[in-house]
């Protein structure tokens, strides 16, 4: 299947099943609430502008609070708990989200605890690799560039892993191997989609950064619009990747 056909199918499904948007929007709300719990535990005075400014650069905030001058504290334990809960809720939401894309219904829960636990491990793994690990590395220089390249390659290779867990009922490690196998069959197409997705995220981030770094009071519609835009991006790229995954899987031997 050509990439144009994948895009056409993704857009057609998006038009016919508008309620799909509620899944990534719920995920966006979960992410904001998880960071709010961390922020409230570390800040004495809570204000709308200060919170959403910190939320925009949440990983820099977390690095400053917990990893620069690392020490075990109650706040750190609270942040770890919030991260684990966020990963669990992500697994609970994305499993039915994937099934709603592929099917005709709008399920609300994973198919079972096995599926949910494997997805939890998957999202915990990606959280550690793509979010926390980069915080421990220098922001500039050859090491940072090599690390970024390695992370992009890993992201491409495991991009189908959570779909494999849901649609092929495989465990965490088997899903990682299966994703690598599937990506190898259409690696150029997969790489192009992942790179385009990263560029779109970078563009949206740069656009909103203009408003968040002005140092003025943040209007309520700014974080709301950001959550809506990012939810739409998540929805569209999951649609594209799931249809591409299904096409590759039909042409690939079973795991």
């Amino acid at each position: 299947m050509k990439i144009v056909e994948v895009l056409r199918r993704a857009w057609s499904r998006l038009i016919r099943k508008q309620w799909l948007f509620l899944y990534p929007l719920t995920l966006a709300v979960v992410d904001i609430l998880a960071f709010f719990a961390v922020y409230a535990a570390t800040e004495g005075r809570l204000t709308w502008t200060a919170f959403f400014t910190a939320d925009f650069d949440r990983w820099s905030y977390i690095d400053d609070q917990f990893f620069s001058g690392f020490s075990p504290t109650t706040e750190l334990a609270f942040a770890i708990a919030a991260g684990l809960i966020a990963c669990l809720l992500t697994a609970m939401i994305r499993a039915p989200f994937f099934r709603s894309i592929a099917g005709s219904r709008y399920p609300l829960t994973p198919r079972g605890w096995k599926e949910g636990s494997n997805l939890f491990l998957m999202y915990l793994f990606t959280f550690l690799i793509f979010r926390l690990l980069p915080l421990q590395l220098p922001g500039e220089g050859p090491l940072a560039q090599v690390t970024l390249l390695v992370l992009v390659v890993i992201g491409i290779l495991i991009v189908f892993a959570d779909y494999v867990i849901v649609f092929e009922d495989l465990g965490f490690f088997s899903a990682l191997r299966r994703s690598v196998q599937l990506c190898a069959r259409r690696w150029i197409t997969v790489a192009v989609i992942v790179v385009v997705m990263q560029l779109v995220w970078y563009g949206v981030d740069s656009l909103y950064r203009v408003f968040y770094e002005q140092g003025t009071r943040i209007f309520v519609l700014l974080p709301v619009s950001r959550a809506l835009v990012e939810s739409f991006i998540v929805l569209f790229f999951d649609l594209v990747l799931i249809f591409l995954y299904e096409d590759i899987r039909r042409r690939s031997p079973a795991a």
Side-chain angles (χ1 to χ4, degrees):
M1 181 186 297
K2 296 181 178 180
I3 184 61
V4 174
E5 178 63 19
V6 172
L7 293 173
R8 188 195 65 78
R9 289 185 61 194
W11 183 255
S12 175
R13 181 57 57 91
L14 181 63
I15 295 300
R16 289 187 291 109
K17 296 192 69 174
Q18 297 92 339
W19 293 111
L20 287 172
F21 183 74
L22 292 179
Y23 292 96
L25 182 59
T26 303
L27 284 173
V29 173
V30 166
D31 285 343
I32 292 172
L33 291 178
F35 180 72
F36 178 78
V38 176
Y39 185 83
T42 55
E43 296 291 334
R45 183 169 176 266
L46 300 177
T47 65
W48 177 275
T49 295
F51 167 69
F52 279 106
T53 300
D55 179 59
F56 182 74
D57 275 323
R58 64 174 59 179
W59 301 110
S60 296
Y61 179 87
I62 289 174
D63 186 30
D64 293 338
Q65 291 291 328
F66 301 112
F67 295 107
S68 298
F70 176 83
S71 62
T73 61
T74 303
E75 289 79 8
L76 176 61
F78 196 85
I80 292 173
L84 292 174
I85 293 172
C87 288
L88 178 61
L89 291 177
T90 299
M92 296 297 104
I93 295 169
R94 284 184 69 82
F97 172 45
F98 298 158
R99 295 192 182 282
S100 68
I101 289 176
S104 58
R105 300 181 301 107
Y106 292 97
L108 299 178
T109 60
R111 186 170 53 184
W113 284 107
K114 177 185 176 183
E115 179 179 271
S117 60
N118 282 318
L119 277 178
F120 168 75
L121 290 176
M122 180 67 205
Y123 295 132
L124 179 60
F125 171 75
T126 56
F127 177 78
L128 294 174
I129 295 297
F130 297 110
R131 293 300 188 184
L132 295 188
L133 178 61
L135 297 181
Q136 310 307 308
L137 300 172
E140 299 179 352
L143 179 59
Q145 295 175 357
V146 171
T147 302
L148 177 61
L149 178 60
V150 170
L151 290 178
V152 170
V153 172
I154 294 174
I156 292 171
L157 292 175
I158 67 172
V159 72
F160 294 138
D162 48 355
Y163 308 147
V164 170
I165 290 173
V166 172
F167 295 118
E168 300 186 41
D169 197 28
L170 295 182
F172 168 63
F173 293 106
S174 298
L176 294 179
R177 291 193 296 269
R178 177 65 168 163
S179 179
V180 173
Q181 177 192 19
L182 294 172
C183 285
R185 300 181 66 86
R186 295 279 296 278
W187 68 271
I188 294 179
T189 302
V190 176
V192 168
I193 292 174
V194 172
V195 170
V196 169
M197 181 171 59
Q198 294 301 317
L199 291 174
V200 170
W201 277 114
Y202 177 78
V204 171
D205 181 83
S206 299
L207 177 63
Y208 277 96
R209 189 171 295 278
V210 173
F211 299 98
Y212 278 94
E213 292 186 346
Q214 287 181 346
T216 57
R217 185 174 180 272
I218 294 177
F219 186 53
V220 61
L221 291 182
L222 185 63
V224 171
S225 69
R226 179 177 169 228
L228 293 174
V229 169
E230 292 183 350
S231 297
F232 179 81
I233 294 172
V234 170
L235 171 57
F236 185 74
F237 278 105
D238 268 317
L239 281 165
V240 171
L241 288 170
I242 283 179
F243 285 129
L244 179 61
Y245 157 75
E246 290 180 339
D247 180 63
I248 299 174
R249 185 178 64 165
R250 283 195 297 267
R251 305 166 186 265
S252 177

